[in-house]
Amino acid sequence: MTQVVLFNVFNGLIVGAFYALMALGLSLILNLSGVINFAHGGFLALGAYLAFTLIPYIGFWGALVVAPLLTAALGLVIERLLIRPLYGGDPLYGLLLTFGLAYIFEDMTRFIWGAQSLPFQLPAWLTTSLSNEFFFVTGYRVFMIVIVVAAVGGLFAVLNYTRLGMRIRAGTRDLDTVSTLGVNVRVLRSLNFGIGIYMAGLAGVLAAGLLGLSPTIGASLIMPSFVAIIVGGLGSLLGTLLGGLLIGVASGLAAVYFPSATEAVIYVMMGLVLLIRPRGLLGEEGRLH
Amino acid sequence: MTEAALTEAALTRGEAALSGLRGRALDLAVGLALLFMPFWMGAIGGYTELASRIVVMGLAAMSLNFLLGFTGILSFGHAAYFGLGAYGAAMAIKYLDAGTIPAMALGMLVATLAAMVIGALIVRRRGVYFAMVTIAFGQVFYFLAFRWNSVTGGDDGLTGWHRLPIDFGFARLDIFGSDKAFYYFALAIFAVCIGAMAMLLASPFGRTLIAIRENERRARFLGVPIEFHIWLSFVISCLFVSVAGALYALLNNFTDPRALRFDLSGNLVIMAVLGGMRSFWGPLIGAAIFVALQDYVSSHTENWMSVIGLVFVLVVRFFPRGVLGMLRSGAKA
Amino acid sequence: MPKSYSCAGIDRRRLMKSGLVLAAAQIASPFVIRARAADAVRIGLDNPLTGTYAANGKHELDGCQMALEGINAKGGILGRPVELVVEDSTSGDAGAAVQKARKLIEGDKVDFLLGNVNSALALAMAQVSNEKGILHIVPGGHTDAVTGSSCHWNVFRVCNTTQMEANAVASALVKEYGKKFYYITPDYAFGHTLEAGMVKAIAKLGGERVGGDLTPLGSVDFSSYLIKAQGMNPDVIIFLVQGDDMLNALKQAVQFGLQNKVHLAGAQQEMEPLEGLPPEARIGTWVLEWYWNQPGVPHVAEFVEATKKRTGRVPTARTWFGYVSTWTCAHAAAAAKSLKAVDMAKALQDYHLPPEIALGPNPAFYRAGQNQLLASLFVGDAQAKGSAPDDLFKVTKVVNGADIADTVEESGCKMTWPT
């Protein structure tokens, strides 16, 4: 039994890392721009579908690099045209706009690629187990962890060691002052949005290796991201990372003891956090109040 | 002095919603249109059930707008209370053999209790955070309905029951057999609810809500207990939305977890915004447009989701004040 | 006079106009012809075209349209041309499905109602069709209740019941692979009935259930369940999850290399998810309700060719469901010589479909007192490659539905006719 529990905890961390990747993109956008990007799942799906289309031409590794970039490019276009005019206004409108975009994304992916699930082909060496004893440690899951660690590491590096990152972090605290200091806030927000969408696209490519590729994968993955952010705390990227990992592990443990509750458990956690520590585990009091 | 100042503040923003000749004319026009909808609906390619659906969604959107448009609080999880009303009524009919009115009362009770509890939990949050938390709680109820298979029927929904004719003693309203009878029943409930809402909005309580929407800090300085008012507004809004939910269950003879999902929440918000958040009848107009549009478009193309999404985007970008908001400012200019 | 605002240099009204044109173009895309011939017979199809079941719904629609062409080529129904009116029920919103059903019945005045892929929606629609007294054919909604505890005189079903599917595959599994079974079951009514049916069928043959898990619908990650399953050392792991869930579960199971330790199998399988699996994950023993590759069975090859020409792909079981459902309408009217639902329903009792519609080795007929079509079931193994690029399934045994179906009493159907 302990073995099963350990396996599930470890596995939960892997899945949690994936949730964290998605949630981080969402959190970035939320923290700086105050926009709840309901279309995040749609961008994820787009990243997956673009990768699927590109694989025959540039292979899996090429697609892994290019697909998120293309998705981020589309994200930049959408930010410029549709979301930028909403900054500073009622958060309602950002929510509604991205909500509508989510509908459009799902419908357009179905229109372009068809309703049927598409067979996403991974390189063979990734799809096998690495050991007989720990059979659930497949090459692909290890690969996922590596990518997530690299992406998260890259993100934190950018945020902490580059000027752009410093501006983003400052902007999250006090955008007015940053603007007064001469930083082009519009461009900052655009780039921030782009980074967030890049993470969504990357998560999409990873998801396609694990799940069936169908137009609805975006919608099914967005809720855990929200919960990760609420649990981890608004305004804290580290919190989001932690939140994602926690809900992954919680789901894994629930699968051992109480399988029907594997999804409900993340909402229970959210409820507990809201009751006991409403700002989230690492959130700051007064954020986006 | 406080009350006068608040009323002044509210009215100077052009809140001519319920007063003035234009207001009365609009009330009359809407009332007549609703009264005869089953008859003119057919002429434009609709059907009686669509009219009932518009009334139900209109009530839901107007209830949401009590909180959204008049108190200025963004709830994106109202589907939860809509759904609780639906499930409460459905379970009462299926398991307790209740009559229509008691069933609706049960649905209302369940949803209102939930709203009271959850409202208390989240009332300190605002803006984006409040919205996220309402979304998340909405999903909790969706899950409950989904997983608690034995009671709620799970994903399949609660089926195997239907609305029963209402026996008033002296008369019998066959709301099951006759679509028109159900429409007028729904319309009657609608009228009672929005009458209550209108009265509340015209009262000092209502004026306070508008003041909170306009400038919460100032209202706080004036000594208004903000959290209590917001909580009460939330509860009232959820109460009426649950009535709409109960009607929805009766309309379909069915309820399922979709009635609790965040897409319904989003649709309700867009209806309110599309019609005009700042006006009383706005959400009803928005609901009528949205329901009819969705019905029409989904019959003609399988890409109706894109069209609906496009509606969201267009409304936000070009009609943020909604149909009635535009008409009002157009007339002024 | 409304002002025209400009945002970021773009004239608001111009943009709005182009947006409306875009929307109008969407609506104008040729999809369903709603020109109404005054004396046409109308068949209403209320099926998912969006959402999780969109692919299945689309294929059923293809089958319906092919049948429609055939019917009209032969003079229509009772000498009148036939039209198909299509509505999107969505994949899970019962409210929408019921709304569309009413629209079809009251607004479009259809003579027949077809649908739904989603069992729950099928049941909800059946309530409406029964209330209105319209002949209703369910092409692909599988829950037993449709022709079981919730059966109605006016509702007929083409696809199999879950019990039939379980019975068909059970003997193959127990004979070939062993007696210990672990179940991965989707946690909703259909899943529960499917598991109950499987457990019953396998117990009858001496097998036992060593464990199982109820997985939430739309589960993304099955690793925990697979880890547990493997720990119980079963002979067979039964995957009862459907559609995308099954895809995820199988993909992950194969990544774990489970197929080398345990045999993987399930009950209902369809071409649509099989096509979504990468070749290395196309494994396991399943039952298909209809398969395109039936050498030696008359008329099947022509049907396959016609489908390929029309849609560019081979027909799936769903295509066949739509095809049969629509042709059933024509046959019902012809047999009853009327369009009255009661007459047609009575004419369909024990009605045998002709071979060019049955498209299988066994006879296909609607069993009296239950309105359930009994035809052929195809037990076999999914394969990475077959004789043709579309040959993803190797049939090992064709079972006659009539042999393995429960009796009418066992199904729980008590049919009452209107007086």
Side-chain angles (χ1 to χ4, degrees), chain A residues 17-31 40 148 151-153 155-156 159 192 195-196 199-200 225 228-229 236-242:
Chain A
F18 172 74
Y19 285 148
L21 182 64
M22 254 187 65
L24 277 171
L26 195 60
S27 193
L28 258 180
I29 296 171
L30 182 59
N31 292 343
H40 212 69
V148 171
V152 173
L155 179 68
F156 279 97
L159 286 175
N192 181 61
I195 297 177
M199 319 251 314
S225 307
I229 295 179
S236 163
L237 285 179
L238 205 54
T240 305
L241 179 62
L242 192 62

Short mmCIF file of all heavy atoms in Angstrom, two decimals, chain A residues 17-31 40 148 151-153 155-156 159 192 195-196 199-200 225 228-229 236-242:
data_model
loop_
_atom_site.label_atom_id
_atom_site.label_comp_id
_atom_site.label_asym_id
_atom_site.label_seq_id
_atom_site.Cartn_x
_atom_site.Cartn_y
_atom_site.Cartn_z
N ALA A 17 2.85 19.52 -11.77
CA ALA A 17 3.78 20.40 -12.48
C ALA A 17 3.13 20.90 -13.76
O ALA A 17 3.28 22.07 -14.14
CB ALA A 17 5.06 19.64 -12.78
N PHE A 18 2.42 20.02 -14.40
CA PHE A 18 1.75 20.41 -15.63
C PHE A 18 0.68 21.45 -15.36
O PHE A 18 0.57 22.46 -16.07
CB PHE A 18 1.16 19.16 -16.27
CG PHE A 18 0.29 19.45 -17.44
CD1 PHE A 18 0.84 19.84 -18.64
CD2 PHE A 18 -1.08 19.37 -17.33
CE1 PHE A 18 0.04 20.14 -19.72
CE2 PHE A 18 -1.89 19.67 -18.41
CZ PHE A 18 -1.33 20.05 -19.60
N TYR A 19 -0.12 21.23 -14.33
CA TYR A 19 -1.13 22.23 -13.96
C TYR A 19 -0.47 23.56 -13.65
O TYR A 19 -0.96 24.62 -14.00
CB TYR A 19 -1.91 21.78 -12.71
CG TYR A 19 -2.92 20.70 -12.93
CD1 TYR A 19 -3.19 19.76 -11.94
CD2 TYR A 19 -3.64 20.60 -14.11
CE1 TYR A 19 -4.13 18.77 -12.11
CE2 TYR A 19 -4.58 19.60 -14.30
CZ TYR A 19 -4.82 18.70 -13.28
OH TYR A 19 -5.74 17.70 -13.45
N ALA A 20 0.68 23.46 -12.95
CA ALA A 20 1.38 24.69 -12.55
C ALA A 20 1.81 25.47 -13.79
O ALA A 20 1.71 26.71 -13.82
CB ALA A 20 2.58 24.34 -11.68
N LEU A 21 2.27 24.76 -14.80
CA LEU A 21 2.72 25.44 -16.03
C LEU A 21 1.59 26.26 -16.63
O LEU A 21 1.74 27.42 -16.99
CB LEU A 21 3.22 24.40 -17.04
CG LEU A 21 3.76 24.95 -18.36
CD1 LEU A 21 4.99 25.78 -18.12
CD2 LEU A 21 4.07 23.81 -19.32
N MET A 22 0.42 25.62 -16.70
CA MET A 22 -0.73 26.33 -17.25
C MET A 22 -1.11 27.51 -16.37
O MET A 22 -1.37 28.61 -16.85
CB MET A 22 -1.93 25.38 -17.28
CG MET A 22 -2.28 24.89 -18.61
SD MET A 22 -3.78 23.98 -18.58
CE MET A 22 -4.96 25.21 -18.12
N ALA A 23 -1.14 27.23 -15.06
CA ALA A 23 -1.62 28.26 -14.15
C ALA A 23 -0.67 29.45 -14.10
O ALA A 23 -1.09 30.59 -13.91
CB ALA A 23 -1.80 27.68 -12.75
N LEU A 24 0.63 29.18 -14.28
CA LEU A 24 1.59 30.29 -14.22
C LEU A 24 1.33 31.30 -15.33
O LEU A 24 1.39 32.51 -15.10
CB LEU A 24 3.02 29.75 -14.34
CG LEU A 24 3.61 29.24 -13.03
CD1 LEU A 24 4.91 28.53 -13.28
CD2 LEU A 24 3.83 30.40 -12.08
N GLY A 25 1.05 30.79 -16.51
CA GLY A 25 0.76 31.72 -17.61
C GLY A 25 -0.44 32.58 -17.28
O GLY A 25 -0.45 33.79 -17.48
N LEU A 26 -1.46 31.92 -16.76
CA LEU A 26 -2.69 32.62 -16.40
C LEU A 26 -2.41 33.66 -15.32
O LEU A 26 -2.90 34.79 -15.35
CB LEU A 26 -3.70 31.59 -15.90
CG LEU A 26 -5.16 31.98 -15.79
CD1 LEU A 26 -5.69 32.38 -17.14
CD2 LEU A 26 -5.96 30.80 -15.25
N SER A 27 -1.59 33.26 -14.35
CA SER A 27 -1.28 34.12 -13.22
C SER A 27 -0.50 35.36 -13.67
O SER A 27 -0.77 36.47 -13.23
CB SER A 27 -0.48 33.32 -12.20
OG SER A 27 -0.41 33.99 -10.98
N LEU A 28 0.47 35.15 -14.54
CA LEU A 28 1.26 36.27 -15.07
C LEU A 28 0.35 37.36 -15.64
O LEU A 28 0.49 38.54 -15.35
CB LEU A 28 2.14 35.78 -16.22
CG LEU A 28 3.61 35.54 -15.95
CD1 LEU A 28 4.24 35.04 -17.23
CD2 LEU A 28 4.31 36.81 -15.50
N ILE A 29 -0.57 36.89 -16.49
CA ILE A 29 -1.46 37.84 -17.16
C ILE A 29 -2.37 38.52 -16.14
O ILE A 29 -2.60 39.72 -16.19
CB ILE A 29 -2.31 37.10 -18.22
CG1 ILE A 29 -1.39 36.54 -19.31
CG2 ILE A 29 -3.35 38.02 -18.82
CD1 ILE A 29 -2.07 35.64 -20.28
N LEU A 30 -2.86 37.73 -15.20
CA LEU A 30 -3.77 38.28 -14.20
C LEU A 30 -3.08 39.31 -13.33
O LEU A 30 -3.62 40.38 -13.06
CB LEU A 30 -4.30 37.13 -13.34
CG LEU A 30 -5.32 37.47 -12.27
CD1 LEU A 30 -6.53 38.12 -12.89
CD2 LEU A 30 -5.73 36.21 -11.53
N ASN A 31 -1.87 39.01 -12.92
CA ASN A 31 -1.18 39.89 -11.97
C ASN A 31 -0.86 41.25 -12.56
O ASN A 31 -1.04 42.28 -11.93
CB ASN A 31 0.13 39.25 -11.49
CG ASN A 31 -0.14 38.04 -10.63
OD1 ASN A 31 -1.24 37.86 -10.15
ND2 ASN A 31 0.87 37.20 -10.47
N HIS A 40 -7.50 31.08 -22.03
CA HIS A 40 -6.22 30.40 -21.82
C HIS A 40 -6.27 28.95 -22.31
O HIS A 40 -5.34 28.45 -22.94
CB HIS A 40 -5.85 30.43 -20.34
CG HIS A 40 -4.39 30.51 -20.07
ND1 HIS A 40 -3.63 31.62 -20.36
CD2 HIS A 40 -3.54 29.60 -19.56
CE1 HIS A 40 -2.38 31.39 -20.01
NE2 HIS A 40 -2.29 30.18 -19.52
N VAL A 148 8.85 21.38 -17.89
CA VAL A 148 8.21 22.30 -16.95
C VAL A 148 9.26 22.98 -16.10
O VAL A 148 9.22 24.19 -15.89
CB VAL A 148 7.18 21.57 -16.07
CG1 VAL A 148 6.68 22.49 -14.97
CG2 VAL A 148 6.02 21.08 -16.91
N ALA A 151 10.94 25.53 -18.19
CA ALA A 151 10.09 26.69 -18.46
C ALA A 151 9.94 27.55 -17.23
O ALA A 151 10.06 28.77 -17.28
CB ALA A 151 8.72 26.22 -18.96
N VAL A 152 9.65 26.89 -16.09
CA VAL A 152 9.47 27.67 -14.86
C VAL A 152 10.78 28.34 -14.47
O VAL A 152 10.81 29.51 -14.10
CB VAL A 152 8.96 26.76 -13.73
CG1 VAL A 152 8.95 27.50 -12.42
CG2 VAL A 152 7.57 26.26 -14.05
N GLY A 153 11.86 27.57 -14.60
CA GLY A 153 13.17 28.15 -14.30
C GLY A 153 13.46 29.34 -15.19
O GLY A 153 13.90 30.40 -14.75
N LEU A 155 11.29 31.20 -16.70
CA LEU A 155 10.41 32.31 -16.34
C LEU A 155 10.94 33.08 -15.14
O LEU A 155 11.02 34.31 -15.16
CB LEU A 155 9.01 31.77 -16.03
CG LEU A 155 7.99 32.83 -15.62
CD1 LEU A 155 7.66 33.71 -16.80
CD2 LEU A 155 6.72 32.18 -15.09
N PHE A 156 11.34 32.34 -14.11
CA PHE A 156 11.85 33.02 -12.92
C PHE A 156 13.15 33.73 -13.21
O PHE A 156 13.42 34.79 -12.67
CB PHE A 156 11.98 32.03 -11.76
CG PHE A 156 10.67 31.78 -11.07
CD1 PHE A 156 9.90 30.69 -11.37
CD2 PHE A 156 10.19 32.68 -10.12
CE1 PHE A 156 8.68 30.46 -10.76
CE2 PHE A 156 8.96 32.47 -9.49
CZ PHE A 156 8.21 31.35 -9.82
N LEU A 159 12.24 36.87 -14.95
CA LEU A 159 11.63 37.83 -14.05
C LEU A 159 12.63 38.43 -13.09
O LEU A 159 12.49 39.58 -12.68
CB LEU A 159 10.51 37.15 -13.25
CG LEU A 159 9.23 36.88 -14.02
CD1 LEU A 159 8.25 36.12 -13.17
CD2 LEU A 159 8.61 38.18 -14.50
N ASN A 192 4.21 40.76 -21.56
CA ASN A 192 3.80 39.91 -20.46
C ASN A 192 2.72 38.94 -20.92
O ASN A 192 2.75 37.74 -20.62
CB ASN A 192 3.28 40.79 -19.31
CG ASN A 192 2.87 39.97 -18.12
OD1 ASN A 192 3.67 39.27 -17.54
ND2 ASN A 192 1.61 40.02 -17.77
N ILE A 195 4.24 36.24 -23.02
CA ILE A 195 4.91 35.20 -22.24
C ILE A 195 3.88 34.24 -21.64
O ILE A 195 4.05 33.03 -21.67
CB ILE A 195 5.76 35.82 -21.11
CG1 ILE A 195 6.87 36.68 -21.69
CG2 ILE A 195 6.37 34.73 -20.24
CD1 ILE A 195 7.70 37.39 -20.65
N GLY A 196 2.82 34.81 -21.11
CA GLY A 196 1.78 33.97 -20.52
C GLY A 196 1.20 33.02 -21.55
O GLY A 196 0.98 31.83 -21.26
N MET A 199 3.44 30.13 -22.41
CA MET A 199 3.35 29.02 -21.46
C MET A 199 2.12 28.16 -21.74
O MET A 199 2.16 26.93 -21.61
CB MET A 199 3.31 29.53 -20.02
CG MET A 199 4.26 30.67 -19.74
SD MET A 199 5.69 30.33 -18.74
CE MET A 199 5.12 29.42 -17.39
N ALA A 200 1.03 28.82 -22.12
CA ALA A 200 -0.18 28.05 -22.44
C ALA A 200 0.07 27.16 -23.64
O ALA A 200 -0.30 25.98 -23.66
CB ALA A 200 -1.35 28.99 -22.72
N SER A 225 -6.47 25.31 -13.29
CA SER A 225 -5.58 26.47 -13.26
C SER A 225 -6.13 27.54 -12.32
O SER A 225 -5.39 28.12 -11.53
CB SER A 225 -5.44 27.09 -14.65
OG SER A 225 -5.06 26.14 -15.57
N ALA A 228 -5.63 26.45 -8.82
CA ALA A 228 -4.22 26.56 -8.42
C ALA A 228 -3.90 27.99 -8.02
O ALA A 228 -3.21 28.24 -7.03
CB ALA A 228 -3.31 26.11 -9.56
N ILE A 229 -4.43 28.94 -8.76
CA ILE A 229 -4.15 30.35 -8.46
C ILE A 229 -4.81 30.76 -7.15
O ILE A 229 -4.22 31.46 -6.33
CB ILE A 229 -4.62 31.25 -9.61
CG1 ILE A 229 -3.81 30.96 -10.85
CG2 ILE A 229 -4.49 32.71 -9.22
CD1 ILE A 229 -4.21 31.78 -12.05
N SER A 236 1.02 35.99 -6.46
CA SER A 236 2.28 35.32 -6.19
C SER A 236 2.51 34.20 -7.17
O SER A 236 1.74 33.25 -7.23
CB SER A 236 2.26 34.76 -4.76
OG SER A 236 3.28 33.80 -4.62
N LEU A 237 3.54 34.31 -7.96
CA LEU A 237 3.82 33.26 -8.94
C LEU A 237 4.29 31.99 -8.24
O LEU A 237 3.94 30.88 -8.61
CB LEU A 237 4.87 33.73 -9.93
CG LEU A 237 4.38 34.74 -10.96
CD1 LEU A 237 5.50 35.15 -11.88
CD2 LEU A 237 3.24 34.14 -11.76
N LEU A 238 5.07 32.19 -7.22
CA LEU A 238 5.53 31.03 -6.45
C LEU A 238 4.33 30.31 -5.85
O LEU A 238 4.27 29.09 -5.81
CB LEU A 238 6.47 31.51 -5.35
CG LEU A 238 7.48 30.47 -4.84
CD1 LEU A 238 8.27 29.90 -6.00
CD2 LEU A 238 8.42 31.14 -3.84
N GLY A 239 3.37 31.11 -5.41
CA GLY A 239 2.15 30.53 -4.86
C GLY A 239 1.42 29.71 -5.90
O GLY A 239 0.91 28.63 -5.61
N THR A 240 1.36 30.25 -7.12
CA THR A 240 0.69 29.51 -8.18
C THR A 240 1.39 28.18 -8.44
O THR A 240 0.75 27.14 -8.62
CB THR A 240 0.67 30.34 -9.47
OG1 THR A 240 0.06 31.60 -9.20
CG2 THR A 240 -0.11 29.64 -10.55
N LEU A 241 2.71 28.24 -8.47
CA LEU A 241 3.48 27.01 -8.68
C LEU A 241 3.16 26.01 -7.58
O LEU A 241 2.86 24.84 -7.84
CB LEU A 241 4.97 27.37 -8.66
CG LEU A 241 5.95 26.22 -8.85
CD1 LEU A 241 5.75 25.58 -10.20
CD2 LEU A 241 7.38 26.73 -8.72
N LEU A 242 3.20 26.51 -6.36
CA LEU A 242 2.91 25.64 -5.22
C LEU A 242 1.49 25.10 -5.30
O LEU A 242 1.24 23.92 -5.08
CB LEU A 242 3.09 26.45 -3.94
CG LEU A 242 3.10 25.67 -2.64
CD1 LEU A 242 4.25 24.70 -2.64
CD2 LEU A 242 3.23 26.63 -1.46
#
